[in-house]
Amino acid sequence: MLVGAGGNAGNQSAIKVIRGLATGALRPTLGMLRATLARQAIVGLLLASGLASAGWVRVYLTAGDPRHASAIALSLLLIVNTSVLVGTALPFALARLGVDPANAGTSIQVVMDVMGVLITCACCRLVLDQLAGVLRHAPPHP
């Protein structure tokens, strides 16, 4: 669910940019990249927030542990946001390098598969190990 969501979200962003570059609606300039990244960051945040919320509910209902649900939801939030931004930037980068931006469509899948696993491992370690340790040592509520 996590890695697949990242690949799909990144691919959608890449396709949007690839089409824009192909039709001339977008140019491979730094200014256009910044403007497109700003727009897509908002889309990514909205999409990631919705998916992370749904992921939290799904994990909580199946595992019954809010820590596990939080670890997965945070992973999903970061994976989708990262994939949207990378999927937006990659076609611009390829175009600037003189490589066909259409290659970004398949490349984003591979990049986000690897990054998705790394993000998930880091988030689970943070939430399950680090935050659990903090909560164990917190003073009890009166």
Side-chain angles (χ1 to χ4, degrees):
M1 174 175 104
L2 300 172
V3 175
N8 290 338
N11 202 26
Q12 289 298 321
S13 294
I15 289 169
K16 183 175 177 79
V17 173
I18 292 165
R19 177 160 168 70
L21 291 169
T23 62
L26 297 175
R27 294 174 318 284
T29 64
L30 187 57
M32 189 68 67
L33 170 63
R34 286 183 182 149
T36 306
L37 278 172
R39 282 192 307 273
Q40 288 300 104
I42 294 167
V43 171
L45 185 59
L46 292 171
L47 179 61
S49 297
L51 288 172
S53 298
W56 192 95
V57 170
R58 179 178 183 259
V59 173
Y60 184 74
L61 291 175
T62 57
D65 187 338
R67 291 175 305 141
H68 292 170
S70 297
I72 297 302
L74 179 61
S75 298
L76 193 51
L77 182 81
L78 294 176
I79 288 169
V80 172
N81 273 319
T82 301
S83 67
V84 167
L85 295 176
V86 172
T88 299
L90 191 56
F92 279 102
L94 292 175
R96 292 286 293 186
L97 293 170
V99 177
D100 185 0
N103 289 318
T106 54
S107 300
I108 191 67
Q109 295 284 359
V110 175
V111 168
M112 286 316 303
D113 282 353
V114 173
M115 287 181 70
V117 170
L118 295 174
I119 290 169
T120 301
C121 290
C123 288
C124 288
R125 174 147 171 82
L126 172 72
V127 173
L128 299 177
D129 288 348
Q130 302 298 321
L131 294 179
V134 169
L135 293 176
R136 268 194 305 270
H137 300 300
H141 292 297

